[in-house]
Amino acid sequence: MFRQKTVADKVRENLLGIIVLLILALLPMRANDFLLDTLVRTYIFVILAVTLDFFSGTTGYLNLGHSFIFGLSAYLTGILYVYLKIPTEIAILGAGLLGTFGSLALLLPSLRVRGVYFAILSLLYPIIFIGIVTTQPFSLYLGGEGGLRIKQLFLDIARKLPPTERLAFLHNAYYYLSFILMVASFIVLYKLAYNEFGFKLRSIGQDEELSEAAGVNTTNMKIKGFLLSAVFASYAGALYAGMRPPITVDFVNTGSILLPTLTAMIVGGAGTIIGPAIAAFLLTLLYQYLWGLVGLWRTVAYMIILLAFVLIRPQGIFFDIYLRIRRLVDKVIG
Amino acid sequence: MEFTLIKFIFIFGVLHSFIYLSFALGFSLVFGVAKIPYLSYAGLYTLSAYLMHLLLTKAGVPTIISAILSIGAVGGLSIVIGDYIVKPSMKNPLSIFISTMTVSYIVEEVFRIKMGLTPVALPALRGVITIAGVPVAQQWIAVLIIGAVSSFLVLIYLSKTATGKSIRAVAESWYESMIIGINPYKVFRVTMLIAGLLAGVASISLSPLKAVVPSMGWSPLFVSFAIVILGGMGSIKGTVVASFIYGFVEQFVTWKYGGAFASIVPLALIVLVLIFRPTGLFGEKE
Amino acid sequence: MSQNVLIGVFVVILVIVGAVAYYAGKGATTTVTTTITQEKTVTATQTQFVTVTGTPGPTTSPSPTTTPSPTIITQTVVVTTPVEFKGEVKVGALLPLNLPIGQLMLGAIQMAADEINAKGGVLGYKVIVVPYDTQWQADKAAEGYKYLAQQGVKVVLGVFGSHEALAIMDLLALYQVPVIASGAVSDQLDQMVLKNYDLYKYWFRAYVSATMQAAATWDLLAYISKTFNYTRYGWIYEDLPWVIPHAAYGQVRSQQEGMILAAAVGVKTDITSFADAFQKVLSNGSQIIVWQFSGTEDYVFARDYYDMQVPLIALGGGSYAMLDQFYNQTGGKAEGLICISWGFPAPFTPKTMEFYNKFKQTFKTDPIFTTWYAYDSLYIWANAVESAGTFDVEKVIPILEKTVYVGAAGVYEFTQSHSAKLAPDRIYPVFFQWQSGQRVVIWPLNVVAPGTKLLVPKLEGGQRVWVEVPWPPK
């Protein structure tokens, strides 16, 4: 008969992941500030990549407005703080939720169109948003080009500490918050993607009409999938806004937010969740450190990578690499 | 000289509509033949303006020749993009979407790094004339003539010449055109060339009146997009009519509410049309 | 592609990332290459390769803090006396290097650094300038300040944009690196220093505040309006935080002068056409235009001022309109524009013309606007450090507050809100009008040359013409 999976079994199955997580969790003890800062940004991009992949990688509905979701909750954080005088910590919690529902503004109208037209429509949302925010009279309330300024997350608490400990406290706090959010979003979306939920999403991606005929309520699934993707992306946006004010249109900018995410999704392997996660992690780290090597050209390098993969190897590589390593590890453990 | 609103709207509506028509036609043809929105249009538009500037200032090439070279270069690049980026992925429109879009981003980023926000001045006619009391820079007259002539030439080409008619045939159906002996790949190339040339011509004539900055290409792209979607994909008549509707609506918003709002007009229009009437005014149902 | 190659690729990427991270972590400075091509006689930098502290002979390896900058060409080496340094001290330059003014400000700071190093450095330490490109974006400015602080700079100079300054204010008390900005005029910054001294005392501005700028502009605006009997003015401005105090000041002052704001149009820095802005201003019955930009809108503004044949006096300020090439760059379309000029080649102090000539010779262009203040800002800090005898920010700040420094642009004395004082014998602008390619000074009246004329626009037969009026009017 089949025996139940023991804890030991579960640990063995996920050994690789557990080791990686442990290393990352203990990192702040040895890492310098620059690395911690970089990793925070990296984790945010992993969340972006995983959330985009969860919806677009499976259903094939290319959500090019992902930066709209991210930026919307960033701006909501700012608005809650500036106009409703809600402290940053609470504002983030609220903005994440509000942003999730706000993102439905993107999805619901676009549900009427398919394929390329969905991509077109979603692409326009961030651009329209930026256009409105930077134009008078809206710019007067939304910060315009200067951005919305808020009190940084946990700044009050930091100020109560002696001066030499303030920075370390903030860096550690931000690191762990983004780390936890990343792990949470990854675990939830990964499990769902490789379960029946994900199966239904993928069936939409394969052949929507056939899927509908087989009994899948595609509209329902699309909404649920999108919302799941949006909730984590929104919280990532709100959190990032709290950690890195001022809140400017850079949070919504397709070039700076969407393109790296899209690259990670494609280079990682669309639909695999873990491929884009690894890709986002490595590529974002590489991007930050490339500053010293190629300076401003790193953005161009990034785009060329995206172009090359789309043309030559659209299924990506990181998922395949991950599988290979996984098999090796499994063989070693026995 | 007077500064009444309605005159500005009318005069500049006309001036804009013809040039918009000329490059919307290029966009429309690619849409018809390749069935994709030609997102690299933005990059081509930007590239031709900067190329002209570089040829003029760094290589000392005289104006007319610089213009011809830049327009030609962009036309050629369009063919290359067609062959290497669009054609290989034609079965997967989303891939083309991403790749053509990335080309435009790369152009923008390269010029942002190399030229930054340094103002670049392209040569333009200097004088200012008055039409019904409204001051109009002479360059606008050049734009009007160029826009009208290019549009006219393209339309004649499409309806009277053999290649032009085969473009329309391929836009109808690749398969059926092959049956009657047309080589759709050759037609595809010609279409890409025309689109590139139109982008270059529009850029060189219009940008002296706007601005030459790395992000300059997105606005004409969205304008073409809006016009083609409003007019109906695959309909030349639709493109023509929509150009004028769009031109006047845009100028109305510009003069009444300010140029900043005008940049949102094409985007809002696309969103509205796609949601409420995806086939546009004259488009055929898919 | 074979699967093993895939693993190989993966491992290679990991190794690269690891190696780069390792070297980055060791404190290698990453410098943004500037795009100024200049011929420079380098003194101190080259000297380093000739003598080393203690032992003569070439240095074993280039200092990790100098990264090759391909576009700065070191030409002839003028080694006068070998200079020995105790070590190095880094100063940060937080600037929008994608804009011409950012590049020029960096050049000016570097020029000051070279001069200081030629005289032995600061407290015997060689000054190294570490630039960071903010791309004119607030969020990048915040990243930049953090980066510079992590690199160990002892002061941050530059900070040209108010939106950039506002983004870094809350970081000052955390990282405790002082800022001496040459720009960033928003009065909000002054308010922060006054209201929360402990948190914001690290902020200094070697320039005047927006309110002071507005006061200087309004003095001339009021005078011209009284002369020609104008009561309605139109205002075209850049929609950035620094303009907000101008609006507030304008509201109060216009009432005092009996003037009415007929139309106000805020524009984005990447504006492509002022046609609709002019149309709005004109159709609302404006009699004079006031304009305010800090980015490259100046060029589009001048072009459309001509193309629209705007028949109104336009007085105001823009970073590039002050440049002597501006007239030619706009093809002469700037004719008639009245521009403020902060920093002008006229002997305000003994150092003014010396700096102007050297800068012009080195960079082949005028030092525009805040370039003057950027140059002086490094000297201000260096002097304060020498007086304090230490780099310690807590000791340097009180010295800065008491400083009266004679610079190239004028004399710097800081107010209680850590801003330079506006006064004819401190920091003060001139206004000039573009006339046939010349910058003709028209304000303050005591520096106007006798026989000066003012060009006033008039409509004649559908075209705009310029009428000469004796200035100042009797």
Side-chain angles (χ1 to χ4, degrees):
Chain A
M1 297 316 294
F2 297 110
R3 64 185 168 88
Q4 291 281 24
K5 276 199 186 158
T6 64
V7 175
D9 284 330
K10 288 220 171 117
V11 167
R12 226 183 311 156
E13 264 174 34
N14 300 306
L15 190 63
L16 202 55
I18 293 177
I19 293 178
V20 169
L21 284 184
L22 269 176
I23 297 177
L24 292 178
L26 297 175
L27 208 50
M29 296 206 266
R30 295 305 228 97
N32 65 36
D33 281 354
F34 185 63
L35 181 61
L36 285 182
D37 259 352
T38 307
L39 280 173
V40 163
R41 191 184 156 90
T42 307
Y43 293 154
I44 298 290
F45 270 99
V46 167
I47 298 175
L48 280 170
V50 165
T51 46
L52 181 65
D53 192 37
F54 181 75
F55 180 71
S56 298
T58 54
T59 65
Y61 277 72
L62 193 57
N63 179 15
L64 293 176
H66 208 51
S67 57
F68 171 76
I69 305 175
F70 185 78
L72 178 64
S73 50
Y75 268 91
L76 283 170
T77 311
I79 293 172
L80 288 178
Y81 177 85
V82 172
Y83 295 106
L84 293 180
K85 306 281 186 255
I86 298 177
T88 309
E89 295 76 21
I90 318 277
I92 292 177
L93 292 173
L97 205 58
L98 283 173
T100 310
F101 290 108
S103 68
L104 282 177
L106 185 162
L107 177 74
L108 294 178
S110 342
L111 279 178
R112 304 179 53 152
V113 295
R114 297 281 166 84
V116 178
Y117 300 110
F118 179 82
I120 297 172
L121 211 46
S122 60
L123 180 67
L124 293 179
Y125 274 77
I127 304 178
I128 296 180
F129 186 75
I130 295 180
I132 293 178
V133 165
T134 52
T135 306
Q136 291 200 340
F138 304 102
S139 59
L140 297 169
Y141 300 104
L142 294 176
E145 284 181 70
L148 272 176
R149 285 175 18 257
I150 63 172
K151 183 204 57 112
Q152 226 172 301
L153 183 62
F154 297 146
L155 194 60
D156 293 336
I157 305 177
R159 289 209 177 123
K160 295 203 180 87
L161 296 172
T164 40
E165 289 176 34
R166 287 180 195 158
L167 275 177
F169 167 75
L170 281 180
H171 280 123
N172 284 325
Y174 293 168
Y175 181 86
Y176 282 116
L177 266 183
S178 34
F179 180 69
I180 293 172
L181 185 62
M182 176 192 78
V183 170
S185 44
F186 180 80
I187 292 181
V188 169
L189 294 179
Y190 184 83
K191 286 243 176 286
L192 282 175
Y194 284 95
N195 252 327
E196 193 179 326
F197 192 91
F199 184 74
K200 290 188 190 165
L201 287 178
R202 292 176 209 275
S203 69
I204 296 177
Q206 293 281 350
D207 186 333
E208 189 162 350
E209 278 164 16
L210 193 57
S211 169
E212 184 83 45
V216 174
N217 184 341
T218 58
T219 311
N220 200 285
M221 287 306 299
K222 280 189 277 188
I223 295 181
K224 282 195 195 144
F226 185 86
L227 277 177
L228 277 164
S229 161
V231 67
F232 289 106
S234 287
Y235 272 100
L239 181 61
Y240 204 57
M243 299 190 295
R244 302 269 176 105
I247 303 167
T248 63
V249 291
D250 200 55
F251 278 79
V252 196
N253 192 331
T254 304
S256 49
I257 303 287
L258 178 79
L259 280 188
T261 308
L262 194 58
T263 310
M265 184 178 101
I266 292 196
V267 170
T272 63
I273 310 293
I274 187 152
I278 299 175
F281 187 85
L282 290 175
L283 287 176
T284 311
L285 271 182
L286 193 65
Y287 182 80
Q288 291 293 97
Y289 284 107
L290 265 184
W291 183 243
L293 287 175
V294 292
L296 291 169
W297 293 96
R298 57 184 184 160
T299 39
V300 179
Y302 222 92
M303 292 174 193
I304 293 179
I305 292 176
L306 175 60
L307 191 58
F309 270 87
V310 169
L311 291 176
I312 303 173
R313 199 181 158 92
Q315 67 268 44
I317 54 166
F318 281 107
F319 185 61
D320 296 323
I321 294 174
Y322 162 73
L323 284 180
R324 292 272 111 201
I325 294 186
R326 184 68 195 257
R327 264 167 233 164
L328 262 171
V329 167
D330 284 344
K331 251 190 268 178
V332 164
I333 302 182
Chain B
M1 200 178 297
E2 328 163 21
F3 294 93
T4 49
L5 203 54
I6 202 96
K7 292 192 185 185
F8 277 85
I9 295 175
F10 187 77
I11 292 173
F12 283 97
V14 171
L15 292 174
H16 279 88
S17 294
F18 276 102
I19 194 77
Y20 282 170
L21 173 60
S22 75
F23 59 76
L25 278 174
F27 193 82
S28 176
L29 289 179
V30 174
F31 219 128
V33 169
K35 308 277 183 264
I36 47 124
Y38 193 20
L39 295 180
S40 302
Y41 223 47
L44 296 174
Y45 189 89
T46 309
L47 185 61
S48 73
Y50 274 109
L51 259 182
M52 171 130 180
H53 169 76
L54 290 171
L55 284 172
L56 274 174
T57 54
K58 301 281 189 246
V61 179
T63 312
I64 305 280
I65 307 203
S66 298
I68 295 178
L69 283 176
S70 315
I71 296 173
V74 160
L77 183 61
S78 182
I79 299 180
V80 169
I81 292 176
D83 278 350
Y84 290 100
I85 296 185
V86 179
K87 200 160 55 178
S89 336
M90 263 177 112
K91 294 193 199 73
N92 190 347
L94 284 179
S95 286
I96 306 183
F97 198 91
I98 299 175
S99 45
T100 49
M101 186 174 77
T102 310
V103 168
S104 287
Y105 269 109
I106 292 178
V107 170
E108 178 184 358
E109 200 59 28
V110 165
F111 281 106
R112 173 164 307 129
I113 295 173
K114 293 304 291 178
M115 317 254 348
L117 285 181
T118 321
V120 163
L122 285 185
L125 294 176
R126 220 193 123 73
V128 180
I129 63 172
T130 12
I131 299 179
V134 169
V136 174
Q138 273 179 2
Q139 179 73 9
W140 273 113
I141 306 301
V143 165
L144 175 66
I145 296 176
I146 290 174
V149 167
S150 341
S151 309
F152 188 65
L153 285 175
V154 170
L155 290 170
I156 298 268
Y157 182 80
L158 285 174
S159 56
K160 300 282 189 254
T161 66
T163 335
K165 289 190 214 174
S166 45
I167 291 179
R168 285 159 58 203
V170 173
E172 278 280 337
S173 162
W174 278 56
Y175 185 61
E176 279 157 29
S177 2
M178 272 199 283
I179 294 180
I180 57 176
I182 298 176
N183 179 351
Y185 293 101
K186 209 174 102 188
V187 165
F188 170 71
R189 276 225 183 90
V190 170
T191 313
M192 299 300 271
L193 174 67
I194 295 178
L197 293 176
L198 287 170
V201 168
S203 176
I204 288 178
S205 52
L206 189 59
S207 56
L209 293 163
K210 302 283 178 185
V212 177
V213 285
S215 55
M216 62 191 281
W218 297 105
S219 172
L221 171 67
F222 291 129
V223 167
S224 320
F225 218 141
I227 290 175
V228 167
I229 290 203
L230 177 63
M233 276 135 336
S235 162
I236 300 293
K237 179 169 79 170
T239 306
V240 174
V241 170
S243 297
F244 285 89
I245 298 179
Y246 178 82
F248 280 93
V249 169
E250 190 204 57
Q251 289 304 302
F252 172 76
V253 173
T254 303
W255 295 100
K256 194 150 168 70
Y257 297 107
F261 274 110
S263 59
I264 308 182
V265 168
L267 310 171
L269 205 59
I270 298 174
V271 170
L272 291 172
V273 173
L274 277 184
I275 294 177
F276 294 110
R277 201 191 153 105
T279 48
L281 291 174
F282 298 101
E284 303 111 15
K285 287 223 178 288
E286 287 218 346
Chain C
M1 239 205 302
S2 119
Q3 313 268 16
N4 292 318
V5 174
L6 285 178
I7 298 196
V9 169
F10 179 66
V11 170
V12 165
I13 293 181
L14 264 185
V15 168
I16 294 178
V17 169
V20 174
Y22 176 70
Y23 281 107
K26 275 177 80 176
T29 309
T30 49
T31 351
V32 176
T33 53
T34 62
T35 50
I36 307 174
T37 338
Q38 37 169 295
E39 291 171 357
K40 218 158 83 132
T41 47
V42 175
T43 52
T45 320
Q46 205 64 9
T47 324
Q48 192 211 348
F49 288 90
V50 173
T51 22
V52 152
T53 57
T55 48
T59 49
T60 43
S61 62
S63 150
T65 49
T66 14
T67 354
S69 240
T71 52
I72 297 188
I73 306 164
T74 51
Q75 267 225 328
T76 57
V77 175
V78 176
V79 178
T80 47
T81 45
V83 184
E84 295 194 5
F85 293 105
K86 286 190 224 160
E88 289 171 352
V89 63
K90 295 187 204 171
V91 301
L94 189 62
L95 291 164
L97 295 174
N98 59 326
L99 297 177
I101 195 160
Q103 294 168 12
L104 288 175
M105 285 169 77
L106 179 61
I109 294 174
Q110 186 64 59
M111 202 166 105
D114 292 340
E115 290 172 5
I116 292 175
N117 286 336
K119 300 205 185 82
V122 180
L123 292 180
Y125 288 83
K126 182 166 168 235
V127 177
I128 304 285
V129 178
V130 182
Y132 190 94
D133 186 358
T134 64
Q135 295 271 302
W136 196 228
Q137 287 174 20
D139 49 298
K140 297 218 169 38
E143 300 261 342
Y145 179 83
K146 279 189 251 180
Y147 173 83
L148 292 170
Q150 282 162 355
Q151 292 293 312
V153 304
K154 294 290 179 217
V155 67
V156 171
L157 306 172
V159 191
F160 174 63
S162 291
H163 59 292
E164 297 175 327
L166 288 166
I168 67 175
M169 285 308 263
D170 280 330
L171 299 171
L172 298 184
L174 280 176
Y175 291 89
Q176 302 191 313
V177 176
V179 172
I180 304 185
S182 29
V185 300
S186 171
D187 288 68
Q188 257 187 301
L189 299 159
D190 297 64
Q191 292 302 313
M192 289 164 108
V193 175
L194 289 173
K195 294 217 168 82
N196 262 308
Y197 182 75
D198 287 317
L199 288 177
Y200 303 116
K201 64 185 177 185
Y202 307 89
W203 163 265
F204 284 86
R205 183 203 290 123
Y207 182 46
V208 301
S209 66
T211 306
M212 299 288 105
Q213 283 184 323
T217 306
W218 266 92
D219 284 345
L220 177 58
L221 176 62
Y223 184 81
I224 291 187
S225 301
K226 295 253 177 327
T227 307
F228 297 104
N229 257 318
Y230 298 146
T231 51
R232 299 176 67 87
Y233 71 104
W235 186 35
I236 302 180
Y237 61 94
E238 181 177 83
D239 193 7
L240 279 179
W242 70 277
V243 179
I244 297 177
H246 280 257
Y249 184 90
Q251 261 182 326
V252 174
R253 185 80 186 262
S254 59
Q255 279 184 344
Q256 288 168 356
E257 307 284 350
M259 294 188 65
I260 303 173
L261 178 65
V265 182
V267 303
K268 296 194 226 192
T269 43
D270 58 358
I271 185 167
T272 59
S273 171
F274 278 95
D276 53 284
F278 280 128
Q279 193 274 341
K280 179 150 178 231
V281 158
L282 284 162
S283 60
N284 281 328
S286 311
Q287 296 166 302
I288 183 170
I289 296 178
V290 182
W291 50 280
Q292 243 134 7
F293 314 115
S294 63
T296 49
E297 304 93 303
D298 299 356
Y299 294 96
V300 185
F301 186 79
R303 179 198 71 200
D304 288 337
Y305 183 62
Y306 178 89
D307 280 357
M308 292 280 290
Q309 296 279 288
V310 180
L312 300 179
I313 291 180
L315 94 85
S319 308
Y320 305 94
M322 305 178 206
L323 261 184
D324 64 346
Q325 307 103 296
F326 184 70
Y327 191 83
N328 291 332
Q329 282 174 323
T330 57
K333 293 189 178 180
E335 179 82 5
L337 281 178
I338 298 177
C339 312
I340 196 171
S341 185
W342 293 93
F344 194 75
F348 295 110
T349 76
K351 297 186 187 169
T352 308
M353 293 315 289
E354 188 190 326
F355 165 73
Y356 177 77
N357 290 326
K358 183 172 173 199
F359 189 92
K360 189 91 194 239
Q361 200 186 22
T362 313
F363 296 97
K364 310 281 184 280
T365 171
D366 267 13
I368 50 172
F369 189 28
T370 46
T371 312
W372 294 80
Y373 309 109
Y375 173 82
D376 286 331
S377 67
L378 180 57
Y379 271 104
I380 294 173
W381 174 77
N383 278 13
V385 167
E386 292 277 355
S387 295
T390 167
F391 293 113
D392 181 355
V393 62
E394 297 298 331
K395 305 253 168 34
V396 172
I397 288 180
I399 307 273
L400 283 172
E401 289 171 342
K402 294 198 283 280
T403 295
V404 177
Y405 174 75
V406 178
V411 180
Y412 298 83
E413 189 183 347
F414 293 108
T415 63
Q416 215 190 349
S417 60
H418 289 185
S419 179
K421 282 201 178 127
L422 176 82
D425 62 343
R426 293 283 179 262
I427 302 289
Y428 208 75
V430 297
F431 279 85
F432 64 83
Q433 182 179 43
W434 279 111
Q435 298 182 2
S436 306
Q438 298 299 314
R439 291 177 290 185
V440 177
V441 175
I442 59 158
W443 188 264
L445 292 179
N446 59 321
V447 298
V448 174
T452 298
K453 307 266 194 294
L454 183 77
L455 294 181
V456 178
K458 228 176 64 139
L459 275 184
E460 214 164 86
Q463 294 278 334
R464 179 181 68 183
V465 294
W466 295 101
V467 176
E468 284 185 356
V469 165
W471 191 260
K474 304 295 173 271

